[in-house]
Amino acid sequence: MRRSKLFMPTIKETPADAQIPSHRLMLRAGLVRQTAAGIYSWLPMGYRVLRKIEQIVREEMDSTGAQEILMPTIQPSELWQESGRYDDYGKEMLRVTDRHDRGLLYGPTHEEVVTDIFRNSVKSYRDLPQNLYQIHWKFRDEVRPRFGVMRGREFFMKDNYSFDIDAASARISYNKMFVSYLRTFARMGLTPIPMQADSGAIGGDMSHEFIILADTGESTVYCDSAWLDSDPLSLDIDFDTDLQPIVDRWTKLYAATDDKYDPESCPVNEERLYTGRGIEVGHIFYFGTKYSNAMGATVSNDQGQEVPVEMGSYGIGVSRLVGAIIEASHDDDGIVWPESVAPFQVGLINLRAGDAACNEICEKLYSSLSVANVDTLYDERDERAGVKFAEMDLIGLPWQIAVGPRGVKAGTVEIRRRGGKREEISAEAAFSRLT
Amino acid sequence: MRRSKLFMPTIKETPADAQIPSHRLMLRAGLVRQTAAGIYSWLPMGYRVLRKIEQIVREEMDSTGAQEILMPTIQPSELWQESGRYDDYGKEMLRVTDRHDRGLLYGPTHEEVVTDIFRNSVKSYRDLPQNLYQIHWKFRDEVRPRFGVMRGREFFMKDNYSFDIDAASARISYNKMFVSYLRTFARMGLTPIPMQADSGAIGGDMSHEFIILADTGESTVYCDSAWLDSDPLSLDIDFDTDLQPIVDRWTKLYAATDDKYDPESCPVNEERLYTGRGIEVGHIFYFGTKYSNAMGATVSNDQGQEVPVEMGSYGIGVSRLVGAIIEASHDDDGIVWPESVAPFQVGLINLRAGDAACNEICEKLYSSLSVANVDTLYDERDERAGVKFAEMDLIGLPWQIAVGPRGVKAGTVEIRRRGGKREEISAEAAFSRLT
């Protein structure tokens, strides 16, 4: 895309109300604009990133065999009265009354709706297991929305729900999500650490929060330094096999947030203990028959008996991840996007727009990169070089190519990884490196 | 995908409250489930179609140079008070009060929000034209939601907004949308007919509704029968050139809905006049400075004067199209999906699941079609052939391949276009035909 055409309203000043780097950088780089407190509009650059993250989440969900659906944002209150959560949920739930005075609400989560779909559709153990996911907008009326998209009111989330005939099968479903989450976050250039979390009334070990490491994260993380070398993408996963050994291998390494960490009982010695900061980006949770009992979601088992279905729910904060990735990957000059989620792969800078030779090299590179499906932002504006470099650093594309009169004479262009050293090579060599 | 794994809860009985074919078929084929009046959950088969339609709309928008953004579903009431529409909109607008007693609403449309984004971002004619689009969920609290997704309350829509320095430029933007809409609907196998519509206070000719022909459509259409042979996809469009000749060519052909049709003044003689039924699926509209004046969205022109920006808005009912396409393309047995929006391209039926030879041919075809990226639904269940054929007809995949013991002995499989004749050919020939 040509920079002159791109709707990317950058801001020079640091917005006063933005307290954390991702919020500041998302506003400055024109990724989002606030429409109301905790409610954002996603502009082209931000939306491109959001969709890349969404697509990684989708591919990883699909590879586990989960199926994509889409439930409505607006739900009937009756379903929540059935589950018993309507009164419990409190003021975070945005309640609405329609023109016929029927109670509705903007879904903060979808256990009730999906349980309703299930109970009307699935009758037999033969149709289990099922795992249904959606990637959709939710609303929680936070009392004090802040940190930009990290704690907004309207937010984009992947949530899914597993349905199994018994607890043993439910563990299989849970393990698939556990392993899939490791892969999902790793594909975004993040280091995910699953931490055992409160599993509520049901007890047991089937509740994990996924924290990613980021120096500016909200909570302190204590973990075995082996986590830092962990590489979930090196695992060759077959989701049809028993994943328990993989889950065991990852859960045996120590990790805790500050509310659980106790130096007295920490099993990791000081040398191996890594202390850092982290951000929660996902949560997986097995809750048994909580909703199926309350809402009558039963199936007949192989004995012909009606039994409530065993359920789990699993969430990933997709819009939150845009902020979280920036928290994990930025410097003083701006964002440093991991390749997999970058809005463009390459920023091509024409240092002397209007100069025939520079224009020619740039247009040729731009068109050949486009043909090779390398997403390129071509800054062809008549602006100072310093302005263009600063903006490219701010928006954090993985690669920069700069074409100027001096280089053109010498038959070279400058290529640089975001934050790395400039290198002078031929335009052809630059093209090869990027394709 | 294997049929036994697919979450597709079909219904044998015709649902009593479903009055039109698309509503009946979408429920029977398990595309959607109603969660509340006029509010639907999209199950895997329906969601696949919705996303294919969405993707066609997106590609055609992108090819005009429009840029994708995403505005929030929940909007602050203040913006609508600024534009003067807050009180006008009436009960169709779902109004909400948040925990701090601030007025919000679930957006039925987004002129106010996009004008707010624009006025905070664009200051000069040099940054025009702009055309911003989104594909997102909206809510209109219809007094009597009906016809399934055709007139739901929560619905999925593409809406975009053009910003130009003057009326002449606005016409260029309008023409791009006009031509792009012709292409968009034609790619879905539909015959779109733009009809001049009421342009409100501003007058002029820049308001068109796009109607697609469907025997079960809501309104009667009278048009020159030349429309039936029109093929927008045969046009080789360059959106950077003057599109007025193309617009003129299409608008000079007579077309009117029954509220405008007058046999006395109709310029088309009886032989050439086609009378049929149609469904509105899109609307394009130029409204000048209505919102920019009210909300102070000005830019400086090349004389240095501040002038209100000229705007247009353009909508396509994406979820409505799922129903509209079915209305335009079904028979007594079920849906007949156009290839471009079908949830799968091929239904592969194993007529004797468990038979070693049938299984082998099926598995081989299934895996080679998958490798060739032909979306295939493989019905490998132990069910009667009649049940499987009936279901494949109901869900309307463009191609069926049936593999049975008799054919396997003869070295053939049956291939059939949805609604067409069966043909016995080798499995290899079937594969070639589909790839």
Side-chain angles (χ1 to χ4, degrees), chain B residues 24-167:
Chain B
R24 285 197 290 272
L25 289 169
M26 288 180 74
L27 291 173
R28 282 189 52 210
L31 269 56
V32 292
R33 280 290 175 271
Q34 183 172 293
T35 293
I39 299 178
Y40 290 85
S41 291
W42 293 77
L43 305 189
M45 289 291 274
Y47 193 56
R48 289 176 83 102
V49 175
L50 190 68
R51 282 183 60 85
K52 292 212 170 179
I53 295 172
E54 177 191 5
Q55 187 56 23
I56 290 173
V57 171
R58 173 173 293 124
E59 287 168 11
E60 293 299 321
M61 275 291 118
D62 287 342
S63 74
T64 69
Q67 292 178 63
E68 190 167 10
I69 63 172
L70 199 75
M71 291 177 277
T73 61
I74 298 294
Q75 309 177 4
S77 307
E78 288 90 352
L79 290 178
W80 287 67
Q81 280 148 356
E82 271 194 75
S83 75
R85 288 207 291 181
Y86 189 72
D87 296 322
D88 295 353
Y89 214 91
K91 291 196 168 181
E92 272 194 17
M93 189 193 278
L94 197 69
R95 294 157 209 255
V96 200
T97 305
D98 76 6
R99 66 191 298 165
H100 299 301
D101 278 330
R102 281 178 299 222
L104 300 172
L105 56 94
Y106 198 123
T109 177
H110 280 72
E111 279 83 2
E112 281 79 0
V113 174
V114 82
T115 304
D116 181 55
I117 292 171
F118 182 89
R119 69 180 171 183
N120 292 328
S121 307
V122 180
K123 304 296 177 193
S124 162
Y125 73 97
R126 280 190 217 89
D127 295 322
L128 295 181
Q130 289 287 349
N131 193 331
L132 301 175
Y133 80 95
Q134 68 170 353
I135 309 177
H136 207 4
W137 292 88
K138 299 194 188 305
F139 200 96
R140 286 183 198 159
D141 199 2
E142 297 271 353
V143 63
R144 198 156 68 93
R146 56 196 164 138
F147 304 148
V149 301
M150 295 270 287
R151 194 168 301 172
R153 295 198 288 173
E154 187 167 327
F155 59 99
F156 199 40
M157 194 162 163
K158 186 281 300 172
D159 48 321
N160 62 304
Y161 306 90
S162 62
F163 302 89
D164 283 280
I165 190 65
D166 55 30

Side-chain angles (χ1 to χ4, degrees), chain A residues 70-340:
Chain A
L70 199 74
M71 292 178 275
T73 60
I74 297 294
Q75 309 178 5
S77 307
E78 288 89 349
L79 290 178
W80 287 67
Q81 279 148 357
E82 272 195 73
S83 75
R85 287 207 293 181
Y86 189 71
D87 297 321
D88 296 351
Y89 215 90
K91 292 195 167 181
E92 271 193 16
M93 188 192 278
L94 197 70
R95 294 156 209 256
V96 200
T97 304
D98 75 7
R99 66 192 295 164
H100 300 299
D101 278 329
R102 281 178 299 224
L104 300 172
L105 57 94
Y106 199 125
T109 178
H110 281 71
E111 279 82 3
E112 282 79 0
V113 174
V114 82
T115 303
D116 181 54
I117 291 171
F118 182 89
R119 70 180 172 184
N120 292 329
S121 309
V122 180
K123 303 296 178 193
S124 160
Y125 73 96
R126 279 189 219 89
D127 295 322
L128 295 182
Q130 290 286 351
N131 193 331
L132 302 175
Y133 80 97
Q134 68 170 352
I135 309 178
H136 207 2
W137 292 88
K138 300 194 188 301
F139 200 97
R140 286 182 197 161
D141 199 1
E142 297 269 354
V143 63
R144 196 155 70 92
R146 57 195 163 137
F147 304 148
V149 301
M150 295 270 288
R151 193 168 303 172
R153 294 199 288 172
E154 187 167 328
F155 58 98
F156 199 39
M157 196 163 161
K158 186 282 299 172
D159 49 320
N160 62 306
Y161 306 89
S162 62
F163 302 88
D164 284 280
I165 189 65
D166 55 29
S169 307
R171 181 174 289 274
I172 293 171
S173 296
Y174 185 89
N175 286 348
K176 283 186 188 181
M177 293 302 108
F178 185 101
V179 173
S180 153
Y181 273 38
L182 292 176
R183 284 186 50 86
T184 301
F185 298 122
R187 279 187 63 189
M188 299 170 195
L190 300 169
T191 305
I193 306 185
M195 306 220 181
Q196 197 162 327
D198 187 15
S199 51
I202 202 165
D205 60 347
M206 281 160 69
S207 173
H208 284 88
E209 285 173 10
F210 284 73
I211 308 269
I212 57 114
L213 295 179
D215 287 344
T216 50
E218 60 208 352
S219 44
T220 307
V221 173
Y222 300 85
C223 68
D224 192 315
S225 53
W227 279 111
L228 306 187
D229 305 318
S230 65
D231 177 13
L233 296 179
S234 65
L235 298 171
D236 187 17
I237 309 287
D238 176 351
F239 282 98
D240 290 330
T241 60
D242 180 13
L243 300 173
Q244 194 65 50
I246 298 177
V247 173
D248 290 343
R249 202 166 99 199
W250 289 76
T251 50
K252 77 163 192 255
L253 281 178
Y254 179 75
T257 44
D258 40 8
D259 52 325
K260 295 255 172 88
Y261 170 70
D262 174 5
E264 298 300 307
S265 63
C266 174
V268 181
N269 67 38
E270 221 168 296
E271 281 151 47
R272 284 183 60 88
L273 188 70
Y274 171 81
T275 308
R277 300 191 71 81
I279 300 170
E280 187 192 338
V281 289
H283 195 160
I284 63 177
F285 193 73
Y286 162 68
F287 47 71
T289 58
K290 177 176 172 177
Y291 298 93
S292 53
N293 262 329
M295 297 181 63
T298 60
V299 288
S300 60
N301 67 14
D302 59 1
Q303 312 292 313
Q305 297 154 323
E306 288 291 308
V307 294
V309 69
E310 299 275 338
M311 293 174 62
S313 73
Y314 314 88
I316 290 180
V318 176
S319 49
R320 165 168 258 242
L321 271 165
V322 180
I325 291 170
I326 296 175
E327 294 297 334
S329 185
H330 69 275
D331 61 20
D332 290 343
D333 298 322
I335 303 166
V336 183
W337 288 119
E339 298 233 3
S340 59

